[in-house]
Amino acid sequence: MARPENLKPLTTLRIFAAAWVVLYHYWPSLMAGARPGAVEKGYLGVELFFVLSGFILSHVYLQSWGEKRFSYGSFLWARLARIYPVHIAVLAGLALLIAAASAAGFQAGDEVVVWSSLPAHLLLLQAWGLGQGGGWNHPSWSISAEWFAYLAFPAFAMVFWPLRQKPWIATGLAALVVVVLNLAFPLFAGHPLTEATTAWGALRIVPCFGLGCAVYLLWRNGAVTSPVGAKALSAAVLAAIAVGAAVEIPDLFMVLLFGGLILALASLASTGSNLMGSKLGVYLGEVSFAVYMVCIPWELAFTKLARAALNLPEGLLPWPVWAVMFAGVIPAAMVVHHLVERPARNAMRAWEASGFRIGAQRPEVAA
């Protein structure tokens, strides 16, 4: 069976989304005052990942679902192999880090060690309202939300496969869901849907994932067919996102723009453009999941060690130290990627292939 087309610009996009989230989390530690508007919107990097996830999983699996070749068990095993080993490794590493810090006289703080939420973290249920105590590796709430979307993928497929020849209708319906949920959610929750984590994170992914599925149908049906059109759309959407983030437009409009960006970048690949397809960009995109997952433990470890080594007072970090922390998350993530993520994923898939057979389809496409 032929593998789906490798859309390199979408892989490269992942490192920019991860860096945006990391910048958002790290900025309060910097001696630089309030976050600029573009940085303040960094939490929306998670929405970008969610839309991208809907697109990629549709790209890899929707056709097989429609043709009744889809194995739900194999799909879930592949998705678990993608996210769970890093999640557990980082969680275990964080526990060891906390123990070592405690032995050295440092305190991680009650906001990190929350025993009541640990079972939810272990079971990837921390974004389903079952881990509201928070703590541990907080960014992992988003992979719990991803796991919810993976489990619900057949429901998304049931909606979007019948609309495969009507991509604009599918996109209009998906955009409507984005608008309605983002407008309605604050009325009963008291905060925007895009700020939901442990309480409503599983709901937060739904409109984004659906939008990604619909945008895939647009791309599949050739919404953009020329290299010039793909480049023009990419430039226009990137400019709109940059301006929108700087002036802090409502989040739902940013989410819709993410759909346009993913369509544009996928079209770059399918029309033969090499933009955002470099080996370095693709490699960093492959490492981006580890970047996202290790950013908080790395910050915790780095700040403790830097203050002890440089005799820095508690509080904000000076620019040079902060810059080393921000840049250092990449090599830290590379270690996790090469020592944990790739070998564990390959081992889990090999285990399935050699005997633990759930199904036949295991496309090697990052998502």
Side-chain angles (χ1 to χ4, degrees), residues 44-135:
L44 291 177
V46 176
E47 264 65 25
L48 182 52
F49 274 117
F50 287 166
V51 179
L52 184 58
S53 183
F55 183 101
I56 291 295
L57 292 191
S58 295
H59 178 47
V60 177
Y61 293 104
L62 188 61
Q63 184 79 24
S64 66
W65 189 91
E67 296 174 353
K68 303 188 185 307
R69 296 182 289 105
F70 178 77
S71 169
Y72 188 47
S74 182
F75 167 76
L76 290 181
W77 185 254
R79 305 325 306 153
L80 197 65
R82 178 75 174 86
I83 63 174
Y84 198 66
V86 171
H87 169 58
I88 288 299
V90 173
L91 191 62
L94 184 58
L96 291 174
L97 178 63
I98 292 169
S102 178
F106 298 108
Q107 292 299 319
D110 293 338
E111 70 278 4
V112 177
V113 183
V114 182
W115 295 109
S116 62
S117 69
L118 183 59
H121 280 261
L122 292 173
L123 296 173
L124 285 177
L125 301 176
Q126 65 269 39
W128 301 23
L130 301 175
Q132 295 191 47

Side-chain angles (χ1 to χ4, degrees), residues 11-337:
T11 303
T12 302
L13 177 63
R14 297 173 63 87
I15 190 59
F16 290 100
W20 198 17
V21 175
V22 173
L23 187 60
Y24 170 79
H25 281 299
Y26 283 10
W27 193 272
S29 299
L30 177 64
M31 293 179 178
R35 282 183 291 222
V39 178
E40 187 64 33
K41 287 288 188 181
Y43 58 89
L44 291 177
V46 176
E47 264 65 25
L48 182 52
F49 274 117
F50 287 166
V51 179
L52 184 58
S53 183
F55 183 101
I56 291 295
L57 292 191
S58 295
H59 178 47
V60 177
Y61 293 104
L62 188 61
Q63 184 79 24
S64 66
W65 189 91
E67 296 174 353
K68 303 188 185 307
R69 296 182 289 105
F70 178 77
S71 169
Y72 188 47
S74 182
F75 167 76
L76 290 181
W77 185 254
R79 305 325 306 153
L80 197 65
R82 178 75 174 86
I83 63 174
Y84 198 66
V86 171
H87 169 58
I88 288 299
V90 173
L91 191 62
L94 184 58
L96 291 174
L97 178 63
I98 292 169
S102 178
F106 298 108
Q107 292 299 319
D110 293 338
E111 70 278 4
V112 177
V113 183
V114 182
W115 295 109
S116 62
S117 69
L118 183 59
H121 280 261
L122 292 173
L123 296 173
L124 285 177
L125 301 176
Q126 65 269 39
W128 301 23
L130 301 175
Q132 295 191 47
W136 305 105
N137 189 27
H138 178 70
S140 69
W141 73 265
S142 66
I143 64 165
S144 171
E146 289 272 4
W147 182 239
F148 176 83
Y150 301 159
L151 291 170
F153 181 76
F156 286 99
M158 288 176 65
V159 171
F160 289 101
W161 178 251
L163 296 172
R164 62 191 180 280
Q165 302 301 328
K166 302 174 182 178
W168 289 107
I169 293 177
T171 304
L173 291 174
L176 181 62
V177 172
V178 170
V179 172
V180 170
L181 277 180
N182 278 275
L183 291 178
F185 183 81
L187 300 180
F188 68 87
H191 61 81
L193 180 60
T194 51
E195 294 179 10
T197 55
T198 54
W200 290 98
L203 177 62
R204 179 173 170 179
I205 195 174
V206 170
C208 298
F209 195 91
L211 180 62
C213 295
V215 169
Y216 163 73
L217 295 182
L218 280 178
W219 174 77
R220 168 192 169 109
N221 282 274
V224 182
T225 57
S226 73
V228 173
K231 292 175 183 177
L233 181 60
S234 299
V237 178
L238 281 170
I241 289 172
V243 172
V247 302
E248 300 187 56
I249 63 172
D251 290 349
L252 68 89
F253 294 116
M254 293 288 288
V255 173
L256 297 176
L257 287 172
F258 294 158
L261 177 62
I262 289 168
L263 172 62
L265 295 184
S267 299
L268 282 177
S270 59
T271 57
S273 173
N274 293 321
L275 286 176
M276 290 187 67
S278 69
K279 289 183 178 180
L280 177 60
V282 171
Y283 171 74
L284 291 175
E286 292 171 349
V287 174
S288 64
F289 176 57
V291 169
Y292 180 76
M293 291 297 289
V294 305
C295 67
I296 298 303
W298 168 251
E299 180 187 29
L300 178 64
F302 181 88
T303 53
K304 295 294 185 184
L305 292 174
R307 288 193 173 102
L310 302 176
N311 197 28
L312 297 174
E314 291 294 326
L316 303 180
L317 297 174
W319 265 104
V321 177
W322 183 91
V324 172
M325 179 178 71
F326 181 73
V329 74
I330 295 290
M334 290 168 61
V335 171
V336 173
H337 177 72

